[in-house]
Amino acid sequence: MILFKSKIGFTDLKVLQPWIIAFLFTVFSGAIRKWGISFGVVSNLFLGIQLLIPLFLLFQQRHFVSHFSRIRVFQLYVLFLAFLAAHPLNLTIFHGILGFLLYTTVWFILFAYLKTEKNLPVEKLDTMIWIVLIIQLVLSYFQYNLPGDHFININSKGEDSTSTVGGAVRASGTFSYLGGLQGFMVFWGFFSWYTLLQNKNTWISLLVVIGGFVCSLFTGARGVMINYLGILLLGLISSGFLAKHFLKILGCVAVAGLIYLFFPRLAIFDTVEESYDNFESRYDRGVETGEMDRRIEDQFWGAFHYHGDHPIFGVGLGSTYQGATALFGTSPYITEYGYLEGEGERIVVEGGYVLYFYRLFIFMLFLMVLRMPIWCKIFIFLLFSNAMITFNIFMAAFFAFGLIWTDRAYILFKPKNKPAVLK
């Protein structure tokens, strides 16, 4: 914390300290698990702490804000999750407990933020975030350029990385598996939006935006690129950045073009060009095989692919979660489905359509009290309503952090956007 005391007063530091701990733990705990303690009890302990972070943040906040403190709908949602955690069809109660933590991750973090909102100066953590972005980008660059059996690319089970795009290894960043970096890129998208709204330094904004695009290419993941560009589009339009800084952007493009013209073989240019070609090839292959159509269909209609015998209340929270099944076994009610990947269908399997639609309602409820324009809220709802923000604990946390940073930007720089008042 000493690094940030020069810019953060004691009062601010006291308020921000839990959030600094939560954010940095989410970023670096995967690295510890991947390269230090990749398996065993200690590794599971780190995973357990990650699941408890939302509760940690929630209990650190002492005061409720008036427009959110009287919402009974969210309290009923938590009680309903507790009921489903004790589902009689679940294999063990431990599946239910882990499931309860998964389904509350995003909402507990946002609720903790709304308890303190205007008194949470996350803008004072900009330097910390920039350092994390740089570390992430540099590490991803090396991962992408090194072979799968290199130490930096060894996966969490101690095996060579087999996740490739073209001839390169898909970057997994500072996390214990590929989905960790994918989740972080969601935060990077929101932080780019936050930076554009700041309207503070055009060059910093451009570096953040371009760095996020390049890092998205290094993941080799089409979903990551769609999420990043989708969030970035909201930021560019709502901030008016392109119109305000058109000449500077044109100058930046010209400078980059000149550098490429005179130094075309710079390693960074080669890597970015290669990563773009690999990404494009993977995307085209997905279109040709029909995989992209299936993924898009699953994104919006996956929940309605359910074909089981318990469509109302499902078979219990956590029953499809890999961490729970690895530790406590797989329910016979799950094995009959075969491989389940999509968020929507898994939610219906675990909690039925009652949980699925209740969760969507809670999602809308939280979006209503944020300060971004209504059209941005609609877009985010459509983009993330069935995204992996339940079963990917990294994406869940970073999605919540991203919304917090963006909302803070609207509080500071776009005061005319008022939240809905919920009773």
Side-chain angles (χ1 to χ4, degrees), residues 387-398:
M388 198 64 68
I389 59 173
T390 299
F391 299 103
N392 183 332
I393 57 174
F394 293 117
M395 183 175 285
F398 284 127

Side-chain angles (χ1 to χ4, degrees), residues 13-27:
L13 182 62
K14 188 176 180 181
V15 173
L16 286 168
Q17 190 166 6
W19 295 90
I20 295 171
I21 293 171
F23 183 85
L24 292 181
F25 185 88
T26 304
V27 170

